[in-house]
Structures are given as structure tokens and as C-alpha cells.
């Protein structure tokens, strides 16, 4: 029985970076350490082109499962490290190959010789090891274009590395490498997907949710906590800000014509999120808007709502179809939580005939009759801050208010 010694990680997009590449590599290393903290014996070694997770006895299969979800990894291969002795390499290659071989499968050899002093060049390595497998595995056939098994042999200065599989990684950029942004997280399908896609581009996110008791229930709040936990499972701890919004929504419905209440509500949500962003050193706001999906997501509505801030608004879903968004939600396991029948404040208070083409000047005029500043400040000050941890390790951090 042959055991994996290490896992070879390929950077993917990080490889295109210039002088700041080391920053991305350091962020990736930190992400890997965070995800593999239950394996205290592992070590991480990195070079300009790749990274190695040295297992030191850890279960290679378990470690590989954890690596699949880490942003910044293009692909990885569990590998065996052997001395640069040809006979020892042949024995290890055959043992590793048989671990993956089933009758009828085809193969090829992909050799790479980084150590130019090694006696066999690349073509000779391919020939030598291919012949060794054909000699020792009955009825084995070669397929150089689409093999079932690709035995990769890499001869480096310190040792030779053998691998039989390439596992696709999550891609994207390492967590936190692109700065921090605030995710406007409702209880729906779209916003968790927007958070996921933002994290994939290296953003650290903090979530902001608007809660309007008694019109929205504690179950609606728990739904958002559960959605945040799913995002935390992907990228580590996520801060969740829960904003008390009842007083503001009631005031909007008293003072603003019904067909403009939705536009005014979204504008005030954006203003509050922007205040929270500023207090927490965020650089952008993320929304789950998809163009034309609902009345508040027409271009005219976005223009009127965006008027309240100059902060960059990131909309990862802006051109996506609903079916594509649902597919991602199912993949990241947020879909079934999102469709729980507990409404958020946006759906509870939605008017019967919202304006799909609101006028910016009109909504500005309607808002000018009310001094919203004191209640915005109160909502920000009374916001509840929670630290949501991955899986079942959640602890709520109450009392840490703005």
C-alpha cells in the first residue's frame, strides 16, 4: 500500500500576478492553514510556481476534500515523494498506478525534468516508465490524447514526485486578497450567491441584514444566520450586522407615496449599509441585484437608489439568469435555506404596484419632508453584531455595538 506524502497545489490565476504575487501566495497559504488547522502536523512549502502541503502522516483524502473549496487553488494533485533512483521511482510508480487502475483503463506518462542533471531526459522518462507499466500490467493500453490515468512524474533537485490524478480547485483569488466589502444579505436566493462570487474574487465580506420585528419573525432572522454560516463554511468567520429597521420602514410608509416606498426603502438601506461599511473599513457594497429581475432592479430603479452614495456598488449577478443563480445556490447549499417560508422586511412591506421607473428627483422630494438622519444614526448605533463561525462552532457576540 502506497501513501501520499504531499499534495501539489497549482496557483492558476495567481501565476499571472507580477511584483505583488507574494502577497497572493501568502494569503493562499494562510487560507490553507486555516482550513487544515485540525491537522497540526502538516507543513506548507511554496515556490514561485506552486505550493506543497506536506502531509506528515495526515490522511491525504481528507486533506484533499478540504482543499477543494479554497479560493486561489486552480488544481491540485496528491503526490508521492521518492528518491531520484530510477528503480525506486519505477517501484513507486507501479504501486501508485495500481492504486488507481481498473481493467480497461488507458494511460499515458507525463514527465517533467526540472533537474537537468538527472540522467534521463523527458522523452526517456516517458519511454522508461511507460514500458515499465506495460510490462507489469496485463492488457494495458496507451492513450496519449484522452487517457483514463495520467501518471505525472516530476524530477526536481531535491527528489522526484509522482502523481496520478489532478483534482479541480475552486479557482478565483485567495480570501482577503482584494479587500473588504459589505454584503447586503436578505433571506432570498440571490444575495448569498452574490456573496459567494465576491469571496471567489478575493473579497472579505461582512453581511448586513435588515430586521423588522414584529413584521419579520425570529425564524426569518435565523434563516439569515444560517445563510451566513454557509458562507462562513466557505471562507471562515463572517461578521453579520443585523439592523433594526422597523421604525424606519413605518416612517417611510407613513410619509412616502405607496408606489415610491420600495425605492425609498432601498435608498435608506443603502445609506445605512454605507455607514456600517465606513465604521468597519470596508471599501465597497455588494448586492444580489440581477438586471430586470424585479421592480427594484430595473436600470431606472438602480439609478434612483444608487444616488445616495458614491461608494462602489458591486453586483456580481447583474447579467445572470435566475436559473443560473439557482444552480449556484444549490451548489453552495444555500438554496434550501433561502426558500424557507419566512419573509424578510423587503417582501413583507412590498407595495402592490411599485414604480419600475422611479424618478430620482421625485424620491428625493418625498424624502425631504422627513428628517431621517436621527433614526438612521439610531439604527446604526443599535445594530447587533454577530460573528458567525463555520459549521457548528457558532458563538454570538452580543453587546459589541457601534
Amino acid at each position: 500500500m502506497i501513501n501520499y506524502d504531499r499534495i501539489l497545489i497549482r496557483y492558476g490565476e495567481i501565476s499571472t500576478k507580477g511584483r505583488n504575487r507574494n502577497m497572493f501566495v501568502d494569503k493562499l497559504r494562510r487560507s490553507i492553514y486555516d482550513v487544515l488547522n485540525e491537522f497540526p502536523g502538516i507543513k506548507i512549502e511554496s515556490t514561485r510556481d506552486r505550493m506543497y502541503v506536506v502531509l506528515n502522516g495526515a490522511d491525504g483524502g481528507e486533506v484533499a476534500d478540504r482543499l477543494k473549496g479554497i479560493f486561489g487553488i486552480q488544481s491540485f494533485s496528491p503526490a508521492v515523494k521518492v528518491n531520484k533512483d530510477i528503480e525506486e521511482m519505477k517501484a513507486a510508480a507501479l504501486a501508485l498506478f495500481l492504486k488507481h487502475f481498473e481493467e480497461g483503463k488507458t494511460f499515458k506518462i507525463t514527465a517533467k525534468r526540472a533537474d537537468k542533471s538527472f540522467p534521463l531526459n523527458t522523452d526517456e522518462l516517458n519511454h522508461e516508465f511507460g514500458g515499465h507499466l506495460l510490462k507489469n500490467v496485463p492488457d494495458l493500453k496507451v492513450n496519449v490524447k484522452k487517457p483514463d490515468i495520467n501518471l505525472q512524474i516530476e524530477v526536481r533537485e531535491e527528489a522526484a514526485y509522482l502523481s496520478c490524478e489532478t483534482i479541480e480547485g475552486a479557482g478565483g483569488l485567495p480570501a482577503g486578497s482584494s479587500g473588504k466589502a459589505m454584503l447586503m444579505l436578505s433571506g432570498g436566493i440571490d444575495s448569498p450567491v452574490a456573496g459567494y462570487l465576491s469571496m471567489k474574487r478575493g473579497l472579505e465580506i461582512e453581511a448586513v441584514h435588515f430586521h423588522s420585528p414584529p413584521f419579520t419573525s425570529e425564524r426569518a432572522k435565523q434563516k439569515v444566520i444560517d445563510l451566513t454560516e454557509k458562507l462562513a463554511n466557505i471562507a471562515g468567520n463572517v461578521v453579520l450586522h443585523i439592523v433594526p429597521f422597523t421604525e424606519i420602514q413605518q416612517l417611510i410608509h407613513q410619509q412616502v407615496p405607496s408606489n415610491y416606498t420600495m425605492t425609498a426603502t432601498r435608498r435608506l438601506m443603502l445609506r445605512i449599509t454605507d455607514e456600517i461599511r465606513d465604521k468597519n473599513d470596508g471599501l465597497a457594497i455588494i448586492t444580489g441585484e440581477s438586471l430586470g429581475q424585479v421592480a427594484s432592479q430595473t436600470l431606472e430603479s438602480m439609478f434612483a437608489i444608487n444616488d445616495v452614495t458614491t461608494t462602489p456598488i458591486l453586483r456580481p449577478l447583474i447579467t445572470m439568469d435566475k436559473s443560473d443563480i439557482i444552480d449556484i445556490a444549490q451548489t453552495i447549499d444555500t438554496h434550501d435555506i433561502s426558500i424557507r417560508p419566512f419573509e424578510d422586511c423587503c417582501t413583507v412591506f412590498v407595495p402592490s404596484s411599485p414604480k419600475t421607473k422611479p424618478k430620482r428627483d421625485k424620491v428625493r422630494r418625498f424624502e425631504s419632508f422627513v428628517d431621517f438622519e436621527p433614526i438612521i444614526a439610531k439604527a446604526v448605533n443599535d445594530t447587533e453584531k454577530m460573528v458567525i463561525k463555520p459549521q457548528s462552532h457558532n458563538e454570538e457576540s452580543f453587546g459589541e455595538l457601534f
Side-chain angles (χ1 to χ4, degrees):
M1 183 70 176
I2 192 163
N3 294 315
Y4 292 119
D5 169 81
R6 59 193 56 213
I7 296 178
L8 164 64
I9 292 172
R10 301 175 188 87
Y11 296 146
E13 190 172 340
I14 295 177
S15 299
T16 66
K17 303 300 178 184
R19 288 179 293 179
N20 61 347
R21 178 188 298 202
N22 287 343
M23 182 272 287
F24 288 92
V25 171
D26 288 343
K27 292 280 189 182
L28 177 57
R29 184 189 295 108
R30 194 172 305 126
S31 294
I32 294 172
Y33 269 127
D34 288 344
V35 169
L36 302 182
N37 60 10
E38 294 177 25
F39 304 94
I42 67 157
K43 292 185 178 180
I44 299 175
E45 302 171 354
S46 59
T47 67
R48 177 174 176 79
D49 300 318
R50 60 197 56 196
M51 188 176 287
Y52 296 96
V53 177
V54 182
L55 296 173
N56 286 330
D59 186 306
E62 285 189 30
V63 172
D65 284 340
R66 304 285 182 91
L67 292 176
K68 288 177 183 177
I70 298 177
F71 294 127
I73 297 177
Q74 189 68 27
S75 66
F76 60 93
S77 297
V80 177
K81 179 183 179 181
V82 295
N83 294 323
K84 293 188 295 182
D85 175 84
I86 292 176
E87 293 306 315
E88 186 176 339
M89 289 169 62
K90 282 183 178 180
L94 179 59
L96 180 61
F97 183 81
L98 291 174
K99 184 175 182 177
H100 295 272
F101 178 71
E102 295 175 1
E103 187 175 349
K105 283 189 172 182
T106 60
F107 87 107
K108 69 177 282 191
I109 304 289
T110 301
K112 182 178 180 182
R113 187 184 66 157
D115 178 8
K116 302 305 181 185
S117 68
F118 191 74
L120 300 183
N121 63 29
T122 300
D123 289 338
E124 291 167 337
L125 281 165
N126 289 335
H127 180 77
E128 188 77 17
F129 283 83
H132 182 66
L133 294 184
L134 289 167
K135 180 180 177 181
N136 287 277
V137 182
D139 301 319
L140 181 61
K141 290 183 172 58
V142 175
N143 184 336
V144 295
K145 291 188 176 179
K146 289 187 177 180
D148 297 307
I149 302 173
N150 181 11
L151 176 59
Q152 300 168 72
I153 303 168
E154 185 170 350
V155 181
R156 301 183 71 84
E157 289 187 8
E158 71 280 6
Y161 299 94
L162 311 176
S163 176
C164 266
E165 58 181 327
T166 297
I167 301 170
E168 186 176 353
L173 296 173
S177 61
S178 298
K180 183 197 289 188
M182 316 307 289
L183 169 67
M184 297 181 71
L185 183 64
S186 70
I189 292 172
D190 299 342
S191 54
V193 175
Y196 166 78
L197 293 176
S198 299
M199 291 190 297
K200 186 172 183 178
R201 296 309 303 162
L203 281 172
E204 175 190 351
I205 66 166
E206 292 190 9
V208 179
H209 176 70
F210 293 86
H211 188 46
S212 295
F215 305 105
T216 56
S217 67
E218 285 300 307
R219 288 185 175 182
K221 177 179 173 181
Q222 185 60 47
K223 177 179 172 181
V224 170
I225 293 171
D226 292 345
L227 288 170
T228 307
E229 184 181 283
K230 290 296 183 182
L231 296 177
N233 287 343
I234 296 167
N237 294 355
V238 175
V239 174
L240 170 61
H241 306 271
I242 298 182
V243 181
F245 202 56
T246 309
E247 185 179 356
I248 294 176
Q249 281 203 286
Q250 289 177 320
L251 189 56
I252 290 170
H253 281 261
Q254 291 166 8
Q255 300 294 332
V256 176
S258 62
N259 59 347
Y260 268 85
T261 56
M262 180 188 63
T263 305
T265 298
R266 297 299 176 97
R267 282 166 60 92
L268 287 169
M269 284 180 168
L270 193 55
R271 286 175 64 180
I272 291 170
T273 302
D274 207 22
E275 292 278 347
I276 295 172
R277 173 205 60 78
D278 186 56
K279 288 178 176 289
N280 291 275
D281 301 318
L283 298 175
I285 295 170
I286 305 160
T287 78
E289 293 165 310
S290 174
L291 189 61
Q293 190 179 123
V294 294
S296 65
Q297 296 175 24
T298 64
L299 202 56
E300 291 85 354
S301 286
M302 291 183 197
F303 179 74
I305 294 166
N306 234 79
D307 173 54
V308 300
T309 181
T310 58
T311 297
I313 308 296
L314 309 182
R315 298 179 172 91
L317 313 185
I318 194 68
T319 63
M320 293 179 66
D321 293 339
K322 190 69 174 184
S323 59
D324 297 327
I325 298 169
I326 289 173
D327 288 344
I328 297 175
Q330 290 171 335
T331 299
I332 64 175
D333 203 24
T334 58
H335 177 269
D336 290 351
I337 299 172
S338 294
I339 62 174
R340 291 178 192 168
F342 310 120
E343 295 181 302
D344 59 41
C345 60
C346 294
T347 51
V348 168
F349 282 88
V350 67
S352 57
S353 300
K355 273 283 185 183
T356 59
K357 296 182 179 182
K359 302 299 182 185
R360 183 180 62 181
D361 292 342
K362 278 193 175 183
V363 73
R364 281 177 175 176
R365 185 165 61 85
F366 296 145
E367 290 174 359
S368 71
F369 300 134
V370 184
D371 183 8
F372 284 104
E373 295 302 327
I375 57 172
I376 288 175
K378 184 175 184 296
V380 171
N381 185 65
D382 292 345
T383 292
E384 176 185 356
K385 183 176 181 179
M386 309 171 71
V387 178
I388 308 299
K389 299 184 178 181
Q391 298 175 343
S392 60
H393 307 299
N394 280 321
E395 295 178 4
E396 298 181 0
S397 300
F398 297 105
E400 190 178 351
L401 303 178
F402 297 107

